[in-house]
Amino acid sequence: MLNNLFTWLDERLGLTTMYEVILDRKVPKVNWWFTLGSASAILFILQAVTGMFLTIYYVPSPDHAYDSIQYIMNDVSFGWLIRGIHHWGASLMVIIVFIHMLRTFFLAAYKYPREFTWLTGVILLISTLGMGFTGYLLPWNQRAYWATTVGTEIAGTAPLIGPFIVSVLRGGPELSAVTLTRFFSVHIWFLPAIIGALIGIHIYMVIKLGIAGVPDKEEA
Ligand code: HEM
């Protein structure tokens, strides 16, 4: 019965071909450092799923943001778990993406023909940091408020365009309800859309070009 269903779907969707192209690829001799790109992708999915659950109760307004998080932590079933995974997963993702970048850098995987994979990776790293920056404000507690005040202040020290960047980030001269909704929207829509699309392109490049592997002393 299940077999028949699979054959039916396979004939129409090409599942076996998809499996062969995406997962059953030839890879050179690799090690555990090569698993960190996939780990980053899985962490992104974990963050997306737990984040979706958090938005069921989270309210992005100065009057309710803090209380809604307290409610998630104390009153929602498993709310503490979902928020805990999202909170620690965020730090873990930054660390794993960073180590993944170091591995591709030290093994020179950014060289021809993988420059574009590296380029999409750079934007992925910046976007992942952006997720951390925008997410940090959302609990709307003292720490979040002042950290974002300082963070946006630092962006403001850029020559010439500094004041413009601050007003775009804050939506005014100071942190306000506008800043909170702005950060929320960037955190749940803009950056995840960018990251999702870029992961697709990044992995397409990896499949198309194959894994670079550990450089060979003889070849150098
Ligand atoms: C959300 C972030 C990221 C995800 C999900 C991701 C995912 C992946 C995956 C699954 C691979 C295949 C094998 C491996 O793990 O090494 C890969 C390879 C690669 N990644 Fe990333 N990556 C991310 C960020 C980055 C960053 C920040 C850089 C560098 C700036 C980067 C540069 C590369 C390069 C150059 C390769 C090719 C490696 C090779 O061919 O040996 N990636 N990435």
Side-chain angles (χ1 to χ4, degrees):
M1 165 71 185
L2 270 183
N3 236 349
N4 284 348
L5 179 65
F6 179 79
T7 316
W8 191 88
L9 283 174
D10 192 24
E11 272 174 17
R12 283 151 187 86
L13 303 175
L15 298 177
T16 314
T17 321
M18 243 190 265
Y19 170 80
E20 281 165 6
V21 174
I22 298 175
L23 294 171
D24 199 12
R25 288 174 285 123
K26 285 221 163 10
V27 282
K29 198 174 177 317
V30 288
N31 53 44
W32 283 97
W33 296 105
F34 287 75
T35 60
L36 297 178
S38 306
S40 310
I42 288 169
L43 280 168
F44 173 67
I45 294 168
L46 187 72
Q47 290 303 96
V49 172
T50 50
M52 280 178 207
F53 278 104
L54 288 175
T55 59
I56 295 176
Y57 291 102
Y58 176 76
V59 185
S61 84
D63 289 345
H64 298 107
Y66 181 81
D67 291 336
S68 64
I69 299 253
Q70 294 309 310
Y71 185 71
I72 290 170
M73 292 302 277
N74 302 318
D75 299 295
V76 176
S77 312
F78 298 106
W80 57 272
L81 182 64
I82 298 291
R83 183 174 178 230
I85 295 174
H86 199 75
H87 178 91
W88 292 105
S91 302
L92 191 64
M93 183 168 166
V94 171
I95 295 169
I96 296 289
V97 170
F98 201 78
I99 305 176
H100 167 64
M101 180 193 71
L102 290 181
R103 127 47 205 146
T104 57
F105 177 73
F106 284 119
L107 296 189
Y110 54 83
K111 287 186 182 173
Y112 173 85
R114 295 182 179 77
E115 301 94 325
F116 196 73
T117 320
W118 174 266
L119 195 71
T120 52
V122 171
I123 309 173
L124 277 170
L125 177 66
I126 295 169
S127 308
T128 306
L129 294 174
M131 286 299 282
F133 184 59
T134 49
Y136 205 83
L137 179 68
L138 303 184
W140 202 249
N141 52 24
Q142 286 292 325
R143 198 168 54 170
Y145 186 91
W146 293 110
T148 307
T149 302
V150 174
T152 46
E153 200 79 53
I154 293 171
T157 58
L160 298 174
I161 50 166
F164 173 72
I165 297 176
V166 179
S167 71
V168 169
L169 287 174
R170 293 185 180 169
E174 273 156 31
L175 257 66
S176 64
V178 182
T179 325
L180 185 57
T181 42
R182 197 163 279 210
F183 272 47
F184 180 66
S185 147
V186 170
H187 189 77
I188 70 157
W189 293 119
F190 289 84
L191 288 176
I194 292 171
I195 296 178
L198 282 176
I199 289 181
I201 300 172
H202 197 73
I203 292 179
Y204 165 76
M205 297 305 297
V206 170
I207 292 171
K208 182 174 157 45
L209 301 171
I211 292 286
V214 184
D216 192 339
K217 258 193 213 149
E218 306 302 314
E219 274 177 25

